Amino acid sequence: MKLYLKFLSIHLRSAMTYRASFFLSCLGHLLITTNVFLSVVFLLDRFGSLGGYTMPQLSLCYAVILAATSLAECFGRGFDAFTRILAQAQFDRIMVRPRSLFFQVLCQDMKPTMLARLLQAVLMLAWAIPSGAVAWTPVKALTLALMILCGAGIFFGLFLINAAVCFFTLEHVEALNIFLDGPREYGKYPFGIYGRPVLLVLTFLVPLALVQHWPLQYLFDRGPAWYGLLPVVSLVFLIPCTLLWQLGVRHYRSTGS
């Protein structure tokens, strides 16, 4: 952990070398996600609710996805940018160092500008939590925390899949962006609003619904209490992600340079 924090400090100091650029990048990320949610604000200003969900409830819904993606992109960027590591033949150098490959790739790149989106998510939660959208209990508060943390784990797992595929194709699979970048757009609504086929895919294939739609039903008193345990269940998704990464590492052949 001490070494990881050291790497984090290095990346943060590097990003802050050009402070104007850093803060402008943060502002850009903030404006993008703010613009996405403004469509929800304008829609509900006209109709009052959508699918039975009110403005505070949708704010809570989007804040969960936004916080999860921001944490994953900030701290798991090394796997998201893995194609560059292979293209520049840096993985050979990583393999001869006396640290685990996983840890080194994880620390290879971090993106502190994503903290701006995390700040937006925190502000949305600060408004939605006391708004009366949820009848809060200690268990529901724990469920909300698990939704965010486990959601970050799911997005990290997707980064891991993308990195593992690079061992075979040398490029990321663009189709995975539907699950990586897409949730920042369609995650502004509970996934169930898009219909049963989409909900089934996001429940059993890529379990994003287990950290958003189903736990939200429990928070809003629309579903049984065991829905609150589903974020923990979603972490099973990390097992095949890790196995695919290990398979990719075994498949790797050195450039010889």
Side-chain angles (χ1 to χ4, degrees):
M1 178 57 71
K2 183 178 180 180
L3 183 58
Y4 178 80
L5 293 176
K6 181 67 173 179
F7 273 107
L8 180 60
S9 174
I10 291 171
H11 284 291
L12 185 59
R13 291 202 303 270
S14 176
M16 291 294 289
T17 301
Y18 301 98
R19 296 191 178 186
S21 176
F22 174 79
F23 287 115
L24 286 174
S25 295
C26 289
L27 180 61
H29 289 303
L30 192 61
L31 289 175
I32 290 172
T33 50
T34 300
N35 183 60
V36 169
F37 194 68
L38 279 177
S39 63
V40 180
V41 175
F42 296 144
L43 188 64
L44 265 70
D45 182 62
R46 176 67 178 82
F47 296 103
S49 66
L50 183 66
Y53 296 100
T54 63
M55 187 67 219
Q57 290 175 332
L58 291 179
S59 179
L60 185 68
C61 168
Y62 187 53
V64 167
I65 288 294
L66 186 58
T69 56
S70 300
L71 287 172
E73 289 192 60
C74 181
F75 301 107
R77 181 69 177 177
F79 289 96
D80 190 34
F82 188 68
T83 183
R84 185 178 71 246
I85 295 175
L86 287 183
Q88 297 175 356
Q90 296 179 19
F91 197 65
D92 289 352
R93 183 172 56 189
I94 289 174
M95 294 186 74
V96 299
R97 291 172 177 166
R99 291 285 178 179
S100 75
L101 301 179
F102 186 93
F103 177 79
Q104 290 187 71
V105 174
L106 178 66
C107 297
Q108 193 76 13
D109 193 8
M110 298 178 188
K111 200 171 183 181
T113 53
M114 289 295 107
L115 294 176
R117 290 179 176 175
L118 181 61
L119 175 62
Q120 180 188 347
V122 170
L123 292 176
M124 292 174 70
L125 287 172
W127 176 75
I129 288 174
S131 67
V134 178
W136 291 104
T137 65
V139 175
K140 286 187 175 181
L142 177 61
T143 297
L144 178 62
L146 289 174
M147 289 167 66
I148 295 173
L149 295 177
C150 296
I154 297 303
F155 286 108
F156 180 77
L158 291 169
F159 290 156
L160 204 56
I161 291 176
N162 233 353
V165 170
C166 290
F167 285 113
F168 304 94
T169 65
L170 300 182
E171 291 289 342
H172 285 160
V173 179
E174 292 297 328
L176 276 178
N177 287 334
I178 297 173
F179 304 107
L180 289 169
D181 298 327
R184 279 196 299 271
E185 175 64 35
Y186 58 77
K188 58 191 176 186
Y189 305 117
F191 295 135
I193 208 168
Y194 298 106
R196 184 176 177 81
V198 173
L199 186 58
L200 288 175
V201 169
L202 295 179
T203 298
F204 298 104
L205 182 60
V206 180
L208 291 174
L210 299 187
V211 298
Q212 193 241 42
H213 174 80
W214 298 114
L216 282 176
Q217 305 311 302
Y218 164 60
L219 294 184
F220 300 153
D221 295 320
R222 297 184 176 192
W226 63 267
Y227 280 1
L229 299 175
L230 291 179
V232 177
V233 176
S234 71
L235 295 180
V236 174
F237 177 70
L238 294 178
I239 296 176
C241 297
T242 303
L243 293 176
L244 184 60
W245 164 259
Q246 293 173 347
L247 177 64
V249 171
R250 289 196 297 270
H251 181 270
Y252 177 72
R253 295 294 179 267
S254 171
T255 61
S257 61

